[in-house]
């Protein structure tokens, strides 16, 4: 489950154990101004209320490239996928990040779900430290990062000394590993999460979490491919996040191995 709060009931019916990726930017794609703390508190409370006692992983606003948010970055960039996006954009508008963390902490206090919060597009150990420290300042108990950039996968042992968990975004990790725009049809054949280079980075991320027993999950489209899901679990991935419709098939195949 990873879309609108209203989809929660359907996800639970299909067997979801919680939410692996709630993309908060989808709530605000048409907004021209940053959402208020009140608006966000309401939306996150509605989401968390649907999953009492269950894990809900919420991602801080992921602006840029395929998900433009004008209130976070409306500068022209020749290569937006390599630009001020994800955590980089949040950091440049830290007040917006602080407001989002405030709203998430409010919603957490008002509900019974197990809230995990993560930052998108993290490239360095230093960025990990920045985000986790800030999230804890607001009382977020479980703070982690997405592994979507090869540098984060290769440094996962250091990243996961600081972060409570990591979630691998295989869509972007594949794009950045293969250096091929994930939305460009002419290079679509490179967008292959089965490529051994991508799988090696996934293994590096999982191995990096092992010494401190930090969970590493996958929340990219790859998790919804039943055959690949088996490979991911074999590589050490601890949780898989997918669209609710994919749950029954992946579940059935995993139960055979
Ligand atoms: C990913 O990159 O794999 C991911 C889960 O994030 P998004 O698809 O929203 O970029
Ligand atoms: Mg991504």
């Amino acid at each position: 489950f990873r879309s609108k709060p209203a989809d929660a009931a359907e996800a639970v019916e299909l067997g979801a154990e919680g939410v692996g990726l709630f993309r908060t930017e989808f709530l605000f794609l048409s907004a021209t101004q940053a959402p208020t703390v009140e608006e966000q508190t309401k939306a996150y409370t509605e989401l968390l209320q649907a999953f009492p006692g269950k894990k809900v992983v919420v991602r801080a606003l992921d602006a840029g490239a395929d998900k433009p948010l004008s209130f976070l970055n409306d500068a022209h960039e020749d290569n937006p996928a390599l630009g001020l996006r994800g955590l980089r954009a949040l950091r440049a508008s830290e007040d917006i990040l602080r407001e989002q963390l405030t709203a998430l902490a409010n919603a957490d206090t008002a509900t019974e779900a197990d809230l995990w919060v993560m930052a998108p597009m993290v490239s360095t150990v230093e960025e990990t430290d920045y985000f986790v420290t800030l999230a804890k300042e607001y009382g977020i108990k479980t703070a982690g990062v997405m592994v979507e950039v090869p540098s984060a996968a290769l440094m996962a042992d250091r990243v996961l000394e600081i972060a409570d968990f990591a979630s691998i975004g295989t869509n972007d990790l594949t794009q950045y590993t293969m250096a091929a725009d994930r939305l460009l049809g002419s290079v679509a054949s490179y967008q292959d999460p089965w490529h051994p280079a991508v799988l090696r980075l996934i293994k590096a991320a999982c191995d990096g979490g092992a010494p401190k027993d930090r969970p590493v999950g996958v929340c990219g489209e790859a998790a919804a491919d039943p055959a690949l899901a088996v490979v991911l679990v074999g590589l050490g991935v601890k949780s898989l996040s997918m669209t609710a419709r994919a749950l029954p098939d992946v579940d059935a195949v995993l139960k055979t191995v």
Side-chain angles (χ1 to χ4, degrees):
F1 168 74
R2 50 183 180 187
S3 49
K4 304 186 296 299
D7 296 340
E10 188 204 346
V12 172
E13 263 168 44
L14 286 164
E17 292 173 358
V19 179
L21 169 62
F22 187 81
R23 292 175 161 100
T24 56
E25 63 280 359
F26 282 7
L27 295 171
F28 308 112
L29 279 181
S30 54
T32 49
Q33 282 176 335
T36 64
V37 172
E38 290 69 32
E39 278 175 279
Q40 294 188 75
T41 300
K42 186 168 173 292
Y44 306 147
T45 301
E46 196 189 321
L47 166 71
L48 297 183
Q49 269 168 350
F51 294 92
K54 295 188 165 146
K55 179 173 122 182
V56 176
V57 185
V58 174
R59 176 170 76 186
L61 290 166
D62 183 19
D66 50 307
K67 294 176 290 265
L69 288 181
S70 60
F71 59 83
L72 265 172
N73 179 13
D74 62 359
H76 170 78
E77 297 174 331
D78 282 341
N79 293 302
L82 304 181
L84 192 70
R85 60 168 307 194
L87 182 60
R88 303 168 187 181
L90 288 171
R91 211 169 173 179
S93 303
E94 194 181 279
D95 49 334
I96 294 179
L97 175 56
R98 286 182 178 274
E99 284 171 9
Q100 184 167 33
L101 291 170
T102 303
L104 285 165
N106 290 345
D108 191 22
T109 307
T111 57
E112 303 300 321
D114 178 18
L115 174 67
W116 295 23
V117 180
M118 65 185 180
M121 284 294 302
V122 171
S123 310
T124 69
V125 176
E126 189 274 336
E127 284 179 329
T128 306
D129 189 46
Y130 166 80
F131 179 77
V132 171
T133 303
L134 197 66
K136 303 258 153 142
E137 200 183 291
Y138 285 84
I140 302 295
K141 290 182 280 301
T142 310
V145 297
M146 287 195 71
V147 173
E148 304 186 272
V149 182
S151 58
L154 293 168
M155 297 302 287
D157 56 338
R158 299 274 313 280
V159 164
L160 284 156
E161 274 173 14
I162 299 165
D164 295 317
F165 71 99
S167 186
I168 303 172
T170 48
N171 310 330
D172 276 313
L173 184 62
T174 306
Q175 149 167 280
Y176 292 122
T177 302
M178 306 307 292
D181 186 330
R182 64 192 260 191
L183 297 179
L184 191 60
S186 55
V187 293
S189 63
Y190 292 92
Q191 190 67 24
D192 176 13
W194 283 94
H195 194 286
V198 178
L199 296 179
R200 284 186 184 188
L201 288 171
I202 292 171
K203 179 164 194 305
C206 294
D207 290 350
K212 294 204 143 197
D213 220 11
R214 307 281 208 217
V216 176
V218 165
C219 66
E221 305 305 325
D225 171 346
L228 187 48
V230 173
V231 175
L232 295 174
V233 173
L235 291 173
V237 168
K238 301 290 185 216
S239 63
L240 300 169
S241 166
M242 66 205 70
T243 170
R245 285 183 310 279
L247 282 168
D249 284 352
V250 172
D251 190 44
V253 173
L254 284 176
K255 280 188 175 131
T256 67
V257 293

